[in-house]
Amino acid sequence: MTRGRQKRARREGGPAAAKIAAARRRELKLNAMTDETRSKHESIQAGVPVPAGRDGDGARAALLAEAERRLELAAGRDAARGLRRVVNATGVVLHTNLGRAPLSEAARVAVAREAAGYCTLEYDLETGGRGRRGARVEELLAELTGAESALVVNNCAAAALLTLSALASGGEAVVSRGELVEIGGDFRVPDVMSQSGVAMVEVGTTNRTKLSDYERAITGETRMILRVHPSNYRIVGFTAAPGLGELADLAHDRGLPLFEDAGSGALCDLSPYGLTDEPVISESIARGADVVAFSGDKLLGGPQAGLVVGRREFVEVLRRHPLYRALRADKLALAALEATLEAYRRGAALAEVPTRRMLAATSGEVEARARAFLSRVEGCRAPQSLRGQIITGESAVGGGSAPDVHPRTALVALTHESLSPGELGKALRFSATPVIARVADGRVLLDLRTVAENEEAELLRVLTSLPG
Ligand SMILES: *Cc1c(COP(=O)(O)O)cnc(C)c1O
């Protein structure tokens, strides 16, 4: 090992780490070289002329340069397979493929500064002994929803699995036929129920379910009434379903808990922004739901997490269940969640939580940003090859929430003289910070609703460095 290599090894975690890193680089290089040799072989066999210089050395240099170029490309492709930060210019606020909610500044700082190293995850500074994981987050959740108690697990699917397993395993749960949801990524209510050891008792019809349907289905085997929010679809027309309060009264009358899987679930009323059909968690609690589960990274705008709130006696059963140990949230998620909930508690969610701001932005506000941005692009580059125009369009909430809400927006519509819309879209994806845009109607469409203001300079650099 050379002196420099030894120094670096010490810095990066000892000789073992250095050995692994070196082996990894060697493996990458070897793979790329093998690929390159194979492809050269194939082209020679196929009769593709080998680039020739004036002499043998020229041909060799050309070959080596080509091999080097391809090696760089292969290394770039390898890097692109890892987890990368991207600019989301799609206008889909909770883009599941792009990691749903972007975190607030405070949440990012909390993850990096408080939780990344050692932290008080399960430590009580006052007693110097063991503390309860997530204690502060649970307090905040209870306060913000009016619930007695709260618990945090890995995601909402885990929250549903845990609640069903802990409260209804070995018995029956009654659920409307209109609520047998499938969420993307294979969360299907009937499958989660059977996995939890709960017999599903379907009542009513797809479009109409009455309170008496539930009433008639309750037997000695019934352990709970289940209400599921049909997050990603709507049944419209001739429809009926009992209110949550009526269901709660029936459940309590028969000594049963009412469990609501609220899916997105908003911490405050989002109807001013057109989201009229999303359950507000505090209202579910006020109407008598005993346990409510919802996601941390959908409308709440925090990290991936499954949040359970409700009556203490039930939440404690969940906490003591062996599945909780397998499904609990990690320190990074808890830190980000705590910071996000603190913003709600200070009444600062609209100002600080990015998804809240994105959902609240009017089309006029997005248009003003789009126009200013386009004129900056035009100021930075001669517009011969890249042409832009502002057009109206629609954003989307995404994340399986509010499928019928399409906020009006303004789009920067781009065309390029020598790149097709597909090629332009690809060039944006391959820029230093990948930019993800929509390609539609022969244009590349940028929706600044989902682009943070401090990402605009970066987006501008990407557009100005396009070829042509
Ligand atoms: C989204 C959703 C889930 C799954 O939530 P994750 O946090 O993605 O696990 C479960 N139930 C409903 C009703 C949902 O909308």
Side-chain angles (χ1 to χ4, degrees):
M1 216 188 265
T2 64
R3 180 105 41 94
R5 173 91 58 87
Q6 276 171 356
K7 237 193 205 158
R8 200 172 335 122
R10 269 201 301 278
R11 196 173 58 233
E12 291 172 357
K19 220 189 244 166
I20 291 170
R24 173 94 185 99
R25 275 194 294 276
R26 214 166 26 241
E27 183 195 329
L28 257 179
K29 232 186 253 175
L30 262 177
N31 281 347
M33 287 199 273
T34 315
D35 287 352
E36 179 50 21
T37 315
R38 189 180 307 126
S39 100
K40 269 281 162 300
H41 244 137
E42 282 166 6
S43 16
I44 290 169
Q45 275 174 349
V48 178
V50 175
R54 266 174 297 119
D55 46 35
D57 277 358
R60 187 182 147 79
L63 264 175
L64 277 175
E66 174 65 9
E68 194 138 293
R69 194 185 66 81
R70 299 228 187 159
L71 249 158
E72 263 172 28
L73 267 179
R77 271 200 303 274
D78 201 63
R81 277 197 287 267
L83 194 64
R84 303 268 307 273
R85 181 170 75 85
V86 303
V87 172
N88 172 14
T90 64
V92 181
V93 175
L94 299 169
H95 198 304
T96 299
N97 302 146
L98 302 182
R100 286 198 185 149
L103 296 180
S104 68
E105 273 314 308
R108 290 168 199 236
V109 169
V111 169
R113 198 177 293 162
E114 309 295 346
Y118 296 122
C119 62
T120 55
L121 179 64
E122 290 183 5
Y123 189 83
D124 186 334
L125 287 175
E126 209 163 289
T127 64
R130 186 173 176 154
R132 195 173 85 228
R133 173 185 292 251
R136 174 73 184 139
V137 160
E138 289 171 11
E139 264 170 41
L140 285 166
L141 278 170
E143 183 185 324
L144 288 165
T145 61
E148 285 176 10
S149 194
L151 193 68
V152 183
V153 288
N154 183 52
N155 53 23
C156 188
L161 180 72
L162 176 61
T163 307
L164 287 161
S165 302
L167 301 183
S169 184
E172 297 174 354
V174 183
V175 61
S176 163
R177 289 196 168 88
E179 299 174 4
L180 302 178
V181 184
E182 174 179 317
I183 307 292
D186 287 344
F187 175 92
R188 303 175 113 194
V189 168
D191 296 346
V192 176
M193 291 181 81
S194 69
Q195 184 62 44
S196 311
V198 177
M200 176 170 74
V201 176
E202 306 169 42
V203 297
T205 62
T206 304
N207 54 328
R208 288 174 72 83
T209 303
K210 301 180 189 124
L211 193 64
S212 55
D213 295 326
Y214 287 91
E215 239 169 343
R216 274 201 304 273
I218 294 173
T219 68
E221 298 305 309
T222 309
R223 297 285 177 275
M224 71 162 53
I225 294 181
L226 170 63
R227 152 84 31 122
V228 185
H229 178 57
S231 302
N232 49 14
Y233 68 96
R234 292 291 177 264
I235 294 175
V236 295
F238 187 53
T239 63
L244 193 75
E246 288 176 90
L247 270 187
D249 288 347
L250 171 64
H252 300 158
D253 198 45
R254 305 297 177 89
L256 298 169
L258 171 65
F259 167 39
E260 181 184 35
D261 176 1
S264 272
L267 274 186
C268 34
D269 182 15
L270 299 178
S271 57
Y273 316 121
L275 284 87
T276 49
D277 281 345
E278 291 298 323
V280 178
I281 304 303
S282 55
E283 286 176 15
S284 294
I285 293 292
R287 290 191 182 131
D290 297 285
V291 179
V292 183
F294 58 111
S295 283
D297 57 352
K298 291 188 185 168
L299 292 176
L300 192 147
Q304 179 189 304
L307 314 176
V308 184
V309 296
R311 300 247 311 273
R312 178 163 293 113
E313 58 178 296
F314 298 117
V315 174
E316 286 314 308
V317 174
L318 268 52
R319 195 192 302 283
R320 286 194 303 270
H321 193 278
L323 265 182
Y324 171 63
R325 176 61 180 79
L327 302 176
R328 67 188 188 182
D330 79 308
K331 61 178 181 175
L332 303 181
L334 288 171
L337 186 57
E338 188 178 316
T340 309
L341 294 174
E342 292 280 9
Y344 277 91
R345 184 163 180 261
R346 286 197 310 274
L350 186 57
E352 294 180 16
V353 177
T355 53
R356 286 293 311 279
R357 293 181 61 178
M358 291 172 187
L359 289 171
T362 65
S363 63
E365 285 162 359
V366 183
E367 181 175 343
R369 278 182 65 198
R371 289 201 183 281
F373 180 75
L374 183 58
S375 65
R376 282 169 74 194
V377 175
E378 286 166 351
C380 282
R381 65 178 284 156
Q384 309 96 318
S385 57
L386 185 71
R387 287 178 197 282
Q389 184 190 356
I390 305 297
I391 62 171
T392 59
E394 290 177 343
S395 310
V397 180
S401 312
D404 49 355
V405 177
H406 307 284
R408 285 184 63 72
T409 198
L411 304 164
V412 181
L414 297 173
T415 54
H416 193 280
E417 213 168 62
S418 53
L419 300 176
S420 71
E423 287 166 340
L424 180 55
K426 186 165 182 184
L428 295 179
R429 291 202 304 280
F430 273 68
S431 54
T433 302
V435 173
I436 316 298
R438 272 188 267 170
V439 178
D441 306 327
R443 293 182 282 207
V444 167
L445 306 174
L446 305 177
D447 188 343
L448 295 189
R449 181 185 296 277
T450 50
V451 177
E453 268 161 48
N454 64 12
E455 290 172 326
E456 276 186 24
E458 201 167 19
L459 186 55
L460 185 69
R461 266 199 304 282
V462 168
L463 292 183
T464 49
S465 57
L466 283 170

